[in-house]
Amino acid sequence: MKRIAVLGAGGFIGGHLVARLKKQGHYVLGVDLKYPEYESTTADSFLLADLRDPKVVADIFSETFDEVYQLAADMGGAGYIFTGDHDADIMYNSAQINMNVAETLKNSSTRVFYSSSACIYPEENQVDAQNPNCSEASAFPANPDSEYGWEKLFSERLFLSYARNYGLDIRIARFHNIFGVLGTYKGGKEKAPAAIARKVAEAQDGDEIEVWGSGSQTRSFLYIDECLEGMERLMSSDFKEPLNIGSAEMISINDLTKMVIAISGKSLSIKNVDGPIGVNGRCSDNRLIASVLNWQPNYPLQIGMEHLYSWVKSEL
């Protein structure tokens, strides 16, 4: 049994991670500003705490942990990240948390997982919606499309610097649009799969579903179960450079909407409207993960969206 701390345990990925670790028999401390929104936590202990405070972080790690998963961040979907209205909070809050964690654990033997993002990749490499370049080596010269991406890239380099200078045992994953049940589906921070599922579930036959942008922008979406599997495999490996964890199944946002409409069995149409969209194309490049972990995600998007739609419909 390992002693594991999950920072950001009140969030979507954190909540699922806590449940998985508990099923494996580990002792788990969850830490967040809030409890999980849709299901009670299964953590052995859950601390409501502000990780922006270095004293709080120091107190948490006055105890010894075998592993720490640093998922805590100020984030949300396109409606939160790409408007520019939250840039200062996103930069300050997330960077402060990561600096506190790195500084506190710098001389420990604890293995630390940091959740970065595909948003770190250069904007100019994602102009062609059908041929985005998101290989890990393409991150530099840097030009992320949002302050969220810039902060994630800074924090990657922060943790890698602490690894070089202090021996911090770090693992870094660049997540590509993780989705699934128990995630935010309303309120402004929801991401595309959950937002579309909600809109379709609320609609009546003959309604129009609003989709931001032209709908031709492309993404890949990774179901939560495979995200957790990738995290576990990375943490068990000796690979210490940033690694994509995402699906290679790319789809346009209009086609994703059509998929959800078909799942619902309703007769609906799409209305493309102005809205924040981010880059034109993004898809996980899985060549490196297949090489270093001898594994890559292959869970069909269709099945994941069926699960998500059913859950969101039951919530409404």
Side-chain angles (χ1 to χ4, degrees):
M1 181 180 71
K2 295 177 181 176
R3 288 179 53 82
I4 300 175
V6 177
L7 311 181
F12 164 56
I13 299 175
H16 279 280
L17 176 61
V18 168
R20 181 183 177 101
L21 294 172
K22 281 306 304 170
K23 287 179 181 178
Q24 294 173 347
H26 304 299
Y27 171 87
V28 180
L29 168 67
V31 185
D32 208 320
L33 284 171
K34 63 181 180 64
Y35 291 109
E37 189 170 358
Y38 303 109
E39 190 173 78
S40 297
T41 183
T42 56
D44 294 279
S45 180
F46 197 102
L47 179 64
L48 290 176
D50 189 343
L51 295 167
R52 294 172 299 181
D53 186 338
K55 294 181 180 178
V56 168
V57 177
D59 286 344
I60 292 169
F61 295 119
S62 62
E63 299 181 51
T64 300
F65 291 89
D66 300 293
E67 295 178 355
V68 171
Y69 289 83
Q70 182 1 40
L71 311 175
D74 191 345
M75 57 87 68
Y80 187 76
I81 290 175
F82 296 122
T83 62
D85 296 338
H86 311 286
D87 286 350
D89 287 343
I90 287 171
M91 294 284 280
Y92 176 84
N93 293 335
S94 298
Q96 187 65 61
I97 292 169
N98 291 320
M99 288 189 288
N100 291 343
V101 171
E103 180 67 15
T104 302
L105 293 175
K106 66 181 182 182
N107 292 317
S108 74
S109 60
T110 302
R111 180 163 294 185
V112 180
F113 177 95
Y114 172 59
S115 60
S116 185
S117 169
C119 289
I120 66 95
Y121 288 114
E123 186 172 10
E124 59 269 22
N125 290 0
Q126 301 167 89
V127 173
D128 185 345
Q130 299 304 314
N131 295 286
N133 177 14
C134 294
S135 67
E136 286 85 350
S138 73
F140 298 95
N143 186 28
D145 68 336
S146 63
E147 300 309 311
Y148 175 80
W150 278 108
E151 187 283 321
K152 286 292 188 182
L153 191 59
F154 163 79
S155 291
E156 281 189 12
R157 296 184 70 87
L158 170 76
F159 282 114
L160 290 171
S161 296
Y162 272 76
R164 288 193 304 273
N165 295 161
Y166 296 105
L168 184 67
D169 191 13
I170 187 70
R171 301 292 183 275
I172 298 173
R174 292 172 180 165
F175 288 158
H176 286 250
N177 297 307
I178 314 304
F179 78 101
V181 302
L182 304 179
T184 299
Y185 61 89
K186 61 182 179 179
K189 287 193 172 185
E190 66 273 25
K191 296 186 178 181
I196 292 169
R198 186 199 74 245
K199 291 178 181 180
V200 171
E202 290 176 336
Q204 303 296 320
D205 278 340
D207 286 353
E208 290 182 327
I209 301 299
E210 289 191 348
V211 173
W212 290 347
S214 69
S216 62
Q217 64 270 27
T218 57
R219 295 293 186 273
S220 67
F221 301 95
L222 182 67
Y223 195 66
I224 182 62
D225 292 358
E226 284 209 308
C227 174
L228 300 178
E229 180 69 20
M231 293 169 68
E232 182 175 335
R233 288 173 180 263
L234 178 56
M235 281 292 273
S236 299
S237 78
D238 293 326
F239 190 75
K240 299 183 179 182
E241 297 297 321
L243 187 68
N244 286 333
I245 294 184
S247 170
E249 183 182 353
M250 190 170 70
I251 189 170
S252 74
I253 302 302
N254 273 354
D255 283 345
L256 178 65
T257 306
K258 293 174 184 177
M259 176 187 288
V260 179
I261 292 171
I263 290 169
S264 75
K266 298 178 182 180
S267 178
L268 306 171
S269 59
I270 295 173
K271 180 182 180 181
N272 293 107
V273 299
D274 288 339
I277 62 171
V279 295
N280 287 332
R282 177 174 291 150
C283 184
S284 184
D285 185 321
N286 285 352
R287 290 174 293 178
L288 185 58
I289 193 173
S291 173
V292 300
L293 298 186
N294 195 30
W295 172 88
Q296 61 176 308
N298 61 8
Y299 195 83
L301 176 62
Q302 171 80 30
I303 297 176
M305 289 306 301
E306 288 172 0
H307 292 319
L308 176 61
Y309 179 77
S310 178
W311 177 75
V312 170
K313 183 180 178 182
S314 72
E315 286 288 303
L316 294 173

